[in-house]
Amino acid sequence: MKFRKPILAIILVLSALCLSLLCLTGCDDTDIYANRVKVVFKLEGGTYRSTQSDVVYYLGEKDGTSKKIYDPVSVSGEKMINAEYKFVGWFRDRIEDGDKVVYRNKWDFELDRVGDDGITLYACWRRYTYNVCYRDDDGSLVVLGEYTVSEGEPFEDYDNYASNRTGYTSLDIYRTESGEMWDENFTHPGGDEDLAVNVVVEYLKGDYKLVRTARELRASRNGNIYLMNDIDFGGEKFAGFGNYRGTFNGNGYTIKNFSLDYASGRDGLVSNSNLENDGNHNGRNLLVLSLFGNVDGATVENVKFENVTFDVNTTFTTTAGIYVAPLALTAKSSVFKNVSFGGTLTLTNLPSNLDRDKDLYIAASPCYRNLDGSDFGDCIVDFVRA
């Protein structure tokens, strides 16, 4: 009994020695797989399972039959990546054409089969991109940014590359390179070659707020404005545009159905030195009603104001005078072009110290006092006193 452990140790050593001799004489990989079908996947710059080495596996023995193979990436569920390139598929043929590599005969894992000669397949990588562009003054395309996408992916400017053109405002209108309006149903066609699809942005020169709703108009009323559609206030109040210094382009649209909102008490009274010498008062403690107030260096164009109500409703006795003008109270270095105004003036209440015939000053023209010949020549005003 006490000799069992030494005998067992000797047996294990002899077994290991025999195994080593067998490997030296018959453990060559070529011999082991010589009669099996070899499949090689060349990654072509891709990385799979943290390596760029070929993926190799062996099917059953060579027996004259064809065999189905499987995409190793699909089987393992692990990703194969190659920087910003998109994986197109596995191809039978890799052809070098100068500096260009062309892949042909894409492998169909459902239909294609491997014979006894095995197969080597090459990973094909492509850069499918959308280029966000604009046309400069000489008509050349300038790229603002690009998105690397997959075949069949729609265009979306989620990084807002369109806003990167200095001195211009994107109109959120996109066109094809040939000038057609972008079809939202279009998807990237992909294909067997690298392909960049140019998406051309339409711009407005200058820095504007694009306004589509009453809420946006209220928020942007003191800045440069570009209307994108009609706005109907539905009878709500709107404070107008303050003392306006910007550029308002109505783009041919209409703003309608609102009453002018203003402070009717002490907080609503203003002083205006430009009205001191009109012979009526000293230019202080005035209540003024006008869409654009005092304009200086302003441009207002291509817009209609319809069904606008100005209602004089104040009993504050400190009020020295009330001025009403459809578009502007005073104007300097300004232009109003292709502008129309249709509205009604109502008188609900006046302070007891004011006479509605003597202390209420209503402009018969778009502007109450034009200080320097600002251009209101292309304006139509229909302002009715109820």
Side-chain angles (χ1 to χ4, degrees):
M1 295 292 294
K2 58 183 175 181
F3 296 107
R4 285 184 179 178
K5 288 184 181 180
I7 292 173
L8 180 60
I10 292 170
I11 292 173
L12 290 173
V13 170
L14 291 174
S15 298
L17 180 59
C18 290
L19 183 59
S20 299
L21 291 173
L22 285 172
C23 288
L24 288 173
T25 58
C27 285
D28 184 80
D29 285 349
T30 303
D31 292 337
I32 293 176
Y33 298 112
N35 198 41
R36 303 189 70 177
V37 178
K38 185 179 182 180
V39 179
V40 179
F41 293 90
K42 290 189 172 292
L43 304 186
E44 296 292 281
T47 300
Y48 174 66
R49 288 181 168 174
S50 301
T51 181
Q52 293 186 332
S53 300
D54 297 346
V55 177
V56 181
Y57 68 82
Y58 294 85
L59 302 178
E61 293 185 355
K62 298 177 181 180
D63 56 8
T65 64
S66 59
K67 298 174 175 61
K68 183 176 182 178
I69 62 173
Y70 298 90
D71 183 346
V73 177
S74 300
V75 172
S76 68
E78 298 189 29
K79 292 183 178 181
M80 184 169 64
I81 59 175
N82 186 359
E84 293 184 348
Y85 289 80
K86 298 295 182 181
F87 177 63
V88 176
W90 299 101
F91 287 75
R92 296 171 184 258
D93 303 318
R94 180 185 188 276
I95 304 166
E96 294 190 10
D97 183 7
D99 295 334
K100 186 178 181 181
V101 177
V102 179
Y103 297 87
R104 292 288 182 262
N105 297 323
K106 188 175 183 180
W107 186 266
D108 187 326
F109 285 94
E110 290 299 320
L111 300 178
D112 292 335
R113 298 292 184 268
V114 176
D116 286 347
D117 292 337
I119 191 75
T120 295
L121 297 177
Y122 301 89
C124 179
W125 303 90
R126 293 295 177 213
R127 285 197 89 225
Y128 299 145
T129 61
Y130 286 115
N131 291 337
V132 182
C133 314
Y134 69 89
R135 291 195 180 277
D136 62 15
D137 293 338
D138 65 6
S140 300
L141 281 176
V142 179
V143 177
L144 294 166
E146 69 175 23
Y147 295 99
T148 301
V149 296
S150 300
E151 181 176 346
E153 188 172 336
F155 169 74
E156 181 183 0
D157 189 16
Y158 50 81
D159 283 332
N160 199 21
Y161 287 132
S163 67
N164 291 346
R165 189 181 183 188
T166 304
Y168 289 80
T169 299
S170 165
L171 294 176
D172 293 338
I173 296 173
Y174 300 90
R175 297 186 181 276
T176 65
E177 191 171 347
S178 61
E180 298 175 357
M181 191 70 73
W182 187 262
D183 185 350
E184 293 182 353
N185 296 320
F186 178 84
T187 59
H188 201 292
D192 292 341
E193 304 291 339
D194 291 350
L195 179 60
V197 174
N198 293 323
V199 183
V200 184
V201 186
E202 193 167 312
Y203 284 96
L204 179 68
K205 190 170 185 178
D207 184 15
Y208 289 84
K209 292 291 186 181
L210 303 185
V211 172
R212 298 175 176 84
T213 66
R215 181 177 181 179
E216 290 175 346
L217 187 61
R218 288 189 174 100
S220 307
R221 68 191 190 96
N222 299 125
N224 295 335
I225 295 169
Y226 191 85
L227 288 188
M228 298 296 286
N229 48 247
D230 294 332
I231 295 178
D232 187 344
F233 277 90
E236 295 180 357
K237 290 185 175 183
F238 173 52
F241 302 92
N243 292 324
Y244 196 65
R245 306 289 186 270
T247 298
F248 183 107
N249 191 330
N251 197 22
Y253 291 113
T254 299
I255 301 173
K256 61 185 179 181
N257 298 327
F258 66 90
S259 58
L260 187 69
D261 192 16
Y262 61 93
S264 59
R266 182 187 300 274
D267 293 340
L269 299 182
V270 300
S271 296
N272 193 310
S273 60
N274 292 318
L275 300 177
E276 287 181 2
N277 300 318
D278 65 357
N280 299 314
H281 45 71
N282 60 11
R284 293 190 293 272
N285 293 332
L286 308 178
L287 180 64
V288 296
L289 282 71
S290 179
L291 272 184
F292 289 90
N294 303 298
V295 294
D296 187 351
T299 298
V300 179
E301 59 186 352
N302 305 323
V303 63
K304 295 179 181 180
F305 298 97
E306 293 182 355
N307 195 24
V308 182
T309 300
F310 287 6
D311 181 30
V312 177
N313 185 6
T314 179
T315 58
F316 194 62
T317 56
T318 308
T319 305
I322 299 174
Y323 286 79
V324 179
L327 295 178
L329 181 65
T330 66
K332 181 180 179 182
S333 305
S334 298
V335 175
F336 281 66
K337 182 171 61 177
N338 192 25
V339 178
S340 68
F341 177 97
T344 303
L345 172 62
T346 58
L347 304 178
T348 299
N349 285 299
L350 287 178
S352 59
N353 59 306
L354 295 186
D355 187 314
R356 70 175 54 203
D357 295 321
K358 296 181 180 179
D359 300 312
L360 181 63
Y361 310 103
I362 304 172
S365 61
C367 175
Y368 183 82
R369 176 161 291 177
N370 195 336
L371 301 175
D372 63 354
S374 292
D375 186 4
F376 288 85
D378 196 15
C379 294
I380 299 173
V381 172
D382 181 14
F383 195 35
V384 179
R385 180 170 174 175

